[in-house]
Structure formats: structure tokens, C-alpha cells
Amino acid sequence: MTESTRPTVYIETYGCQMNVSDSELMLGKMVASGYDEADAPDNADVILLNTCAIRDHAEQRVIGRLGEMKSKMKKDAVVGVTGCMAQRLGPQILKRAKHVSLVIGPDGYRSLPLLVENARRGVRATATDFDLEEHYEDFKPRRFDKVKAWVPVQRGCDYRCTYCIVPTTRGPERSRQLDEVVRETREIVAEGMSEVVLLGQTVNSYTDGIHDFADLLRAVGAVDGVKRLRFTSPHPNDFSDCVIAAMAETEAVCEHVHLPMQSGSSRTLRRMLRRYSREGYFECVDRLRTAMPGLAMTTDIIVGFPGETEEDFLETLSAVREVGFDDAYTFKFSAREGTPATRMPESDTISDEVASERLARLIDTVRSGTRERNLGALGERREVLIEKQARRGGLLQARTRDFKTVIIPGEIDMIGTYATVELTGTTGSTFTGAVVRERVSLPMAV
Ligand code: 5AD
Ligand code: SF4
């Protein structure tokens, strides 16, 4: 066989699942335009960094990576910055990094092959217009994950949380047509996957003009072959009774909700413009748990938001205990230029020292809750979907319906299959498990 002469593209993804999904669309588009996928930047003809802007740290990582690439990449490689940081900084990136020739925001990927071709001829470009019709329906994503499929159902965000850059980087909210989501789900099942994760910035506010999120859950859950249905991230205010009923009644919907709380203090929530109070959040949790007993809950929490007092923070700690989260992603507030939080009085700023100390206490509280819950689950049997090889030798990583990670022994060919496991141990956050062999009853000898 002769070696392929097709040019190659390497994509590196930062940030959320929506970005992973966008990278899958970009890779699909590039492959359809004559490129092969490269698994390292060194020899790639095109290098794309699909970036995140949610916290300063995320942007600093990309800046570091761009510097590193300069000395390692092929001399004539085209380097593009895409995603949220591209949208936020636009042409500034071209000015500051001379080896970058493309800057493309989340709504500009349709022109990716053309802009790459131009860039290979030396034309640098920025594409950061929003396109409220854009859902990339005709793109065929090249999925990185072989076991579960990310399905974007909504782009952009219409909430205006005062800390958040996303409405600026991803523009106004718009949803795909339900039929298109169902079509994509059928294709996913035909490719051999049985878990679907619906994606949107406030995914449960989905509406295509006729159907709401409850309709979407029922329709996707009804596609033959969908065994597990998840979604991320919902907003507490968009959990209508209809949506909760659809979750409870749709068998494929997994017993886990990731429900960003952000703070347990009503005063801070008001200043964050989250549009719910501490009690409102608790009430949402109760409604979900009443409809789905045993529902696992995870969350996002920010500490050090401007003006957060020790009392506010203690309310966050007590809310974490009161809800009993299965896990939480915890963040120090990061000021994002142009967001309303940056216009709060200077005197409200929380020092990094205080924020770090609060973060450490929060992590302790979250961890001890997780550990306690997980210890209580030891000995239970669960269905798991085997997702990939574990980082440690010879083991596999599997996931329960309620989103617990279980490390089990097994062979690579078990990836993508389901098994029943007994939870035999826990590190606190993840479990070890033993596969339970289904007992086959043989006919009695006569
Ligand atoms: N600083 C820190 N954390 C943030 N998040 C969003 N914006 C910021 C910010 N400016 C967190 C929120 C959100 C998660 C994806 O990132 O908790 O739910
Ligand atoms: Fe990061 Fe938010 Fe953009 Fe996702 S939508 S990449 S989390 S800034």
C-alpha cells in the first residue's frame, strides 16, 4: 500500500462537552474535505486548538500550548484557534501570535475548509460572526468516543449569570429541530452506540418552537437501541413538571442529574443573577428526587464570587451537606472581562488567599460527603456500561446509570458492552467492582 498523500489535521480540545462535540463536527468536516486525522501536532499540516474562555486558567493553558507548538510544528503548518477564546479575542490573537493564521468562533465552522485552504496560501482570517440558524445539520461528526455519543441540541445561552462569559462567546440560545436530533440518534444507534448525551448550555430550556425538552426526552428515549439517555447541563428554573415527568417515565433516562448550584447563599445567588434562591434550588432537588427515588446529583459551585462573605460561604457548605451531592466540580471565581461581575465595586473583590482557602474547605466537604455515600453503596449490584481502558494496568473503566465510575478487571473486547457488577471497594470517589456472572440455569438431569 502506498502512503496516503492526503494532508492531515490535528484537533486539540479544551473546555466543556459542547466543545468536544464541536471538535467532532470540525473533524468530520475536514475529513469530508480531504484531510486525514493526525494524532499529534508535530507532523500535522493543520493544527486546530478548540478553546475555552470560561476561566482565565483555561485561556492561559491555550496561550502556553500555542507557544510550545511554535517550536514543534511543521514549518508550513496552518495553526487555527477556534471556539470560545477565539470568539472572545478575535483578531487580537492574530496580532499577538504570528504563527496563528485562523481565528474561528463557534458559529463559523462551516467555512473551516475554505479558510484553511486560504491560510495554506498565506491568507490569515478571523470569522467570529454569530449565525442564529447554524446547527451544522449537514456535517457528519467524526466521534472520538466509541461508546457514548454527544448530541448538541441547543447552542448559545439566553441567561445572563453575572460571572459568565458564555453568552458573549456562544451567542443567543437556539435549538435544533426535534426531528434532526432523532435522526442523529438513529444514526448513532446504527453505528453501534447505545448511550446518548444531549448537550446544551441550559439544555432543559430546549424548544424548537413546537416541542419542549420533555418531548425531546421522550422522542430520543423512544429510538430503538437507546439504552442510556443523559443530558447536560440543565438550569434549575427549566425543570417544569412536564420535564420531570418525562424523565421519570422514559426508561432510558439515567438516574443522575448534573444540576449546577453555584452557591448555597440566596444573597450570592441574587448577585450572580441565577434567578433562584437557596430554597428554590432545594425545592427543585426535592421535586426531582420525589419523581425519581435514588437519583444521583452532581453540581458546579463557585467560591470567591465578588462580595461573598464568610456567612455566604458557610451557607454553601451547609447546602452541600443538606443536598448530599454525589460529587461536585468546584471553582474559584475568575473575573471575565465584560461580564457584569467585573463591574461590581472593587471593595467586593475576594482575595485569592481567601478564595483558595474557601475552595479547600469546600473540596473537603464535598469529598467527605461523596466518600460517605459511596461507602454506603458497597456490596450493591449495578448495571455498568464499560467505557474504556482504565489508566492503571489491565483494568477497565465502567459507568453505572447513576454516573459512578467503577474499575473492573476484564478484556478490551468488553468495551462498549454492559455488565452487572458488585461494588467491592471505593477510593472515596470511584469504585472497584467485580463482574457478577449471570447464573445460567441448566435443565436438571433426569
Ligand atoms: N469563574 C469561575 N467559574 C465559572 N464558571 C462559569 N463561569 C465562571 C467564572 N467566571 C463555572 C460554573 C459553571 C461551570 C461550567 O464553570 O460553575 O457551571
Ligand atoms: Fe468553555 Fe463555556 Fe465555551 Fe464550553 S461554552 S468551551 S465551558 S466557555
Side-chain angles (χ1 to χ4, degrees), residues 182-442:
V182 169
R183 173 193 55 78
E184 184 172 351
T185 305
R186 290 209 185 97
E187 284 170 13
I188 288 162
V189 172
E191 285 163 24
M193 285 181 272
S194 59
E195 176 166 333
V196 168
V197 188
L198 307 179
L199 300 178
Q201 242 60 55
T202 54
V203 68
N204 52 341
S205 70
Y206 170 92
T207 171
D208 69 356
I210 299 171
H211 308 99
D212 66 3
F213 192 61
D215 299 325
L216 187 71
L217 285 178
R218 291 185 201 274
V220 173
V223 172
D224 215 15
V226 173
K227 292 209 186 79
R228 290 185 171 194
L229 177 53
R230 305 183 189 276
F231 54 85
T232 195
S233 286
H235 190 286
N237 288 11
D238 294 308
F239 269 124
S240 63
D241 289 340
C242 274
V243 167
I244 294 180
M247 289 171 66
E249 288 160 23
T250 305
E251 217 176 301
V253 171
C254 290
E255 294 74 28
H256 164 239
V257 173
H258 180 72
L259 188 62
M261 179 175 79
Q262 312 300 3
S263 168
S265 146
S266 291
R267 195 184 77 92
T268 305
L269 288 167
R270 215 163 32 241
R271 292 163 60 85
M272 288 176 161
L273 197 60
R274 284 294 287 175
R275 304 165 203 248
Y276 54 82
S277 61
R278 173 188 175 93
E279 292 70 31
Y281 185 87
F282 289 165
E283 196 204 316
C284 181
V285 170
D286 283 347
R287 288 164 59 233
L288 285 161
R289 284 183 169 158
T290 305
M292 280 158 284
L295 184 75
M297 297 282 262
T298 54
T299 197
D300 291 341
I301 300 168
I302 298 174
V303 299
F305 183 79
E308 182 188 66
T309 63
E310 175 67 14
E311 287 69 41
D312 292 326
F313 174 66
L314 290 176
E315 288 206 64
T316 295
L317 290 189
S318 74
V320 166
R321 287 193 211 97
E322 199 158 324
V323 173
F325 290 111
D326 291 81
D327 211 344
Y329 298 92
T330 52
F331 310 103
K332 262 195 284 184
F333 168 74
S334 171
R336 310 311 291 134
E337 202 186 320
T339 57
T342 59
R343 294 191 287 274
M344 290 179 178
E346 184 74 36
S347 56
D348 282 349
T349 304
I350 306 299
S351 72
D352 190 59
E353 200 187 343
V354 170
S356 299
E357 189 267 337
R358 286 181 188 165
L359 184 67
R361 276 193 282 163
L362 175 61
I363 291 172
D364 265 358
T365 304
V366 169
R367 281 207 186 132
S368 69
T370 304
R371 166 178 285 275
E372 202 174 302
R373 289 176 84 83
N374 286 356
L375 283 172
L378 289 183
E380 287 177 13
R381 285 184 177 193
R382 300 289 174 88
E383 177 206 80
V384 292
L385 172 57
I386 301 165
E387 293 186 333
K388 55 184 173 191
Q389 280 185 284
R391 271 186 237 129
R392 284 179 298 121
L395 298 168
L396 301 174
Q397 183 176 313
R399 193 147 321 252
T400 64
R401 284 176 61 93
D402 61 353
F403 212 63
K404 310 280 185 200
T405 303
V406 189
I407 306 295
I408 58 171
E411 304 302 321
I412 290 180
D413 61 4
M414 289 163 68
I415 292 171
T417 65
Y418 291 83
T420 304
V421 299
E422 183 171 318
L423 304 175
T424 51
T426 178
T427 59
S429 60
T430 62
F431 289 95
T432 50
V435 177
V436 180
R437 308 264 165 227
E438 304 294 346
R439 209 184 283 157
V440 185
S441 51
L442 296 170

Side-chain angles (χ1 to χ4, degrees), residues 14-19 51-54 83-84 165-166 169-170 201:
Y14 296 78
C16 62
Q17 280 93 345
M18 187 62 86
N19 252 21
T51 64
C52 173
I54 199 114
C84 291
I165 193 75
V166 173
T169 61
R170 286 192 168 268
Q201 242 60 55

